[in-house]
Amino acid sequence: EIQRVWRGFLGRLAWEQKYEDIWSRQVAAGRLQRHIRGWLARTRVMRLRRRMARQEFEKARRRFKAAQALQSLVRGVQVRARMNAQKAAKIAAVKCIQRSWRGHHLRNGMWRQVLDNRATRIQAAIRGFLVRCRHRHLLVSVTTIQRHRRALAKAPVPAAGADQTQIVPVSTEPQVEAEVPAPSE
């Protein structure tokens, strides 16, 4: 009987040991399956998250590129408008400077013409004055010569033996003569 009990005990112990081995294998397999399923789920979720993140990134990148293109177009329009405004301001300034210079140059040219006309008139007046003075001087000289000639013609002829160096008196009174009209300019 002891042997039977001992053999029963050993059998139960062996059975428990086998049961324990099978159970631990099943628990280990379950644990391993759970870990593998978790790993597979995590990798699937990670792949899905990466794909979604990549899609979001691509979407954001396309949005960024579109915004960049729009910003580039708007900046180009703004810069061209600013440059056209600056160019127009520079052209307006150049036109103002040119207008001022041309007006100044034209006024100086007209002033030179006025001065030339005045100088010409002054020269003409002086030449006329000089001609009239010469003419008057010539008339005075001619009348003086004529007066002396007439005075000599009226004087008595000296005798043959008389002193030839005798001076004939000439009247010093001014004689009124007919006025000669001045030549017109």
Side-chain angles (χ1 to χ4, degrees), residues 59-74:
K59 189 177 178 182
R61 192 170 72 79
R62 284 193 304 271
R63 208 175 312 132
F64 177 76
K65 289 290 185 183
Q68 232 179 7
L70 284 175
Q71 288 172 353
S72 172
L73 289 173
V74 169

Side-chain angles (χ1 to χ4, degrees), residues 47 62 81 90:
R47 263 192 246 122
R62 284 193 304 271
K90 286 179 184 177

Side-chain angles (χ1 to χ4, degrees), residues 100-168:
S100 298
W101 171 251
R102 287 177 183 150
H104 170 75
H105 189 65
L106 183 65
R107 283 188 298 278
N108 279 350
M110 291 174 69
W111 183 245
R112 269 187 254 114
Q113 284 180 350
V114 166
L115 291 180
D116 288 347
N117 287 343
R118 287 180 183 175
T120 304
R121 285 184 178 177
I122 291 170
Q123 287 173 351
I126 289 175
R127 285 186 185 132
F129 173 76
L130 290 175
V131 166
R132 284 189 298 277
C133 284
R134 282 190 207 123
H135 185 59
R136 200 172 297 121
H137 181 68
L138 180 66
L139 285 179
V140 168
S141 299
V142 166
T143 53
T144 305
I145 291 172
Q146 287 175 350
R147 195 171 48 237
H148 285 297
R149 173 75 180 106
R150 288 183 187 135
L152 282 177
K154 286 183 183 177
V157 179
D163 188 12
Q164 297 272 333
T165 60
Q166 185 181 12
I167 296 176
V168 177

Side-chain angles (χ1 to χ4, degrees), residues 13-26:
L13 193 62
W15 181 82
E16 280 183 21
Q17 188 67 34
K18 280 199 179 230
Y19 182 77
E20 185 75 26
D21 286 341
I22 291 171
W23 180 79
S24 68
R25 277 187 200 160
Q26 284 179 350

Side-chain angles (χ1 to χ4, degrees), residues 71-109:
Q71 288 172 353
S72 172
L73 289 173
V74 169
R75 284 187 189 121
V77 167
Q78 288 175 342
V79 165
R80 280 189 293 279
R82 199 175 316 126
M83 292 304 290
N84 287 340
Q86 287 177 353
K87 185 178 177 182
K90 286 179 184 177
I91 288 174
V94 166
K95 284 181 180 179
C96 182
I97 291 169
Q98 287 176 343
R99 184 174 53 242
S100 298
W101 171 251
R102 287 177 183 150
H104 170 75
H105 189 65
L106 183 65
R107 283 188 298 278
N108 279 350

